[in-house]
């Protein structure tokens, strides 16, 4: 406590946001140590403080959104596919795809641009887009297979419908 911190870099960078978090912790300890009443509040201003609050809010929202997206996707896939196992497998595959894409993005960001941090909203946007697109494509393939299965045996329907759906997915 009592150390002076000067933020002389990018106020929205991870270092500045971490410093704001440390200052919050330090001031909480100072208020407690001073014996001030419990309703005393310490506030921070400036770009770094706003960035820190935004990152905290996005982290909290990302958890909520991830759970909501997973549940809604699971229910919709279960209804459309008329199965319980397939939607879970597809959802897990989508989550693994998201994690792989996020890891690859972080690696390429560092290798190509010498950036060691991603903008705070990249994981949230990536999660929503990849899960949404992955679900759409799975539904498209399942719909094509179901349509072909009306005219053919299931094995033949899969063999015919998958390439047709794959072309549409590739274009998308």
């Amino acid at each position: 406590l009592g150390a002076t911190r000067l933020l002389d870099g990018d106020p929205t960078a991870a270092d500045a946001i971490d410093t704001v978090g440390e200052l919050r912790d330090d001031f909480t300890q100072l208020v407690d140590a001073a014996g001030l009443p419990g309703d005393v509040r310490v506030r921070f201003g400036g770009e770094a403080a706003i960035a820190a609050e935004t990152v905290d809010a996005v982290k909290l929202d990302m958890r909520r959104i991830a759970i909501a997206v997973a549940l809604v996707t699971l229910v919709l896939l279960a209804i459309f596919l008329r199965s319980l196992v397939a939607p879970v497998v597809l959802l897990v595959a989508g989550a693994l795809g998201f994690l792989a894409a996020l890891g690859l993005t972080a690696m390429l960001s560092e290798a190509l641009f010498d950036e060691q941090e991603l903008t705070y909203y990249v994981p949230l946007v990536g999660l929503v887009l990849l899960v949404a697109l992955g679900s759409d494509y799975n539904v498209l393939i399942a719909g094509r297979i179901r349509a072909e299965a009306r005219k053919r045996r299931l094995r033949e329907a899969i063999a015919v419908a998958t390439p047709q759906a794959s072309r549409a997915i590739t274009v998308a």
Side-chain angles (χ1 to χ4, degrees):
L1 294 176
T4 303
R5 292 183 179 94
L6 176 64
L7 300 176
D8 59 357
D10 179 5
T12 61
D15 289 341
I17 292 169
D18 290 344
T19 300
V20 169
E22 291 169 8
L23 286 170
R24 284 183 190 152
D25 294 343
D26 289 351
F27 272 88
T28 300
Q29 291 175 8
L30 282 172
V31 167
D32 290 344
L36 297 172
D39 60 347
V40 171
R41 295 183 184 170
V42 177
R43 301 286 186 203
F44 294 90
E47 287 183 70
I50 293 170
E53 287 181 18
T54 303
V55 169
D56 290 344
V58 168
K59 284 180 183 177
L60 180 63
D61 288 347
M62 191 161 113
R63 287 186 196 105
R64 291 177 181 160
I65 290 170
I67 291 168
V69 165
L71 291 175
V72 168
T73 302
L74 190 65
V75 168
L76 291 175
L77 286 174
I79 291 169
F80 186 77
L81 298 175
R82 298 180 194 147
S83 169
L84 293 177
V85 175
V88 172
V89 170
L90 292 173
L91 200 59
V92 169
L96 291 174
F98 163 71
L99 293 173
L102 187 60
L104 184 62
T105 300
M107 286 173 43
L108 289 176
S109 176
E110 187 172 353
L112 298 177
F113 306 112
D114 199 31
E115 284 290 326
Q116 296 183 352
E117 49 192 61
L118 296 175
T119 304
Y120 63 90
Y121 56 81
V122 167
L124 177 63
V125 172
L127 173 72
V128 171
L129 287 175
L130 289 174
V131 169
L133 292 175
S135 297
D136 288 349
Y137 298 153
N138 290 324
V139 168
L140 180 62
I141 287 175
R144 291 278 176 113
I145 291 171
R146 185 170 290 138
E148 287 295 324
R150 291 185 187 123
K151 302 180 273 185
R152 309 168 192 271
R153 291 185 6 231
L154 184 58
R155 180 168 283 202
E156 292 172 3
I158 292 170
V160 170
T162 302
Q164 291 173 357
S166 296
R167 278 183 247 139
I169 291 169
T170 301
V171 170

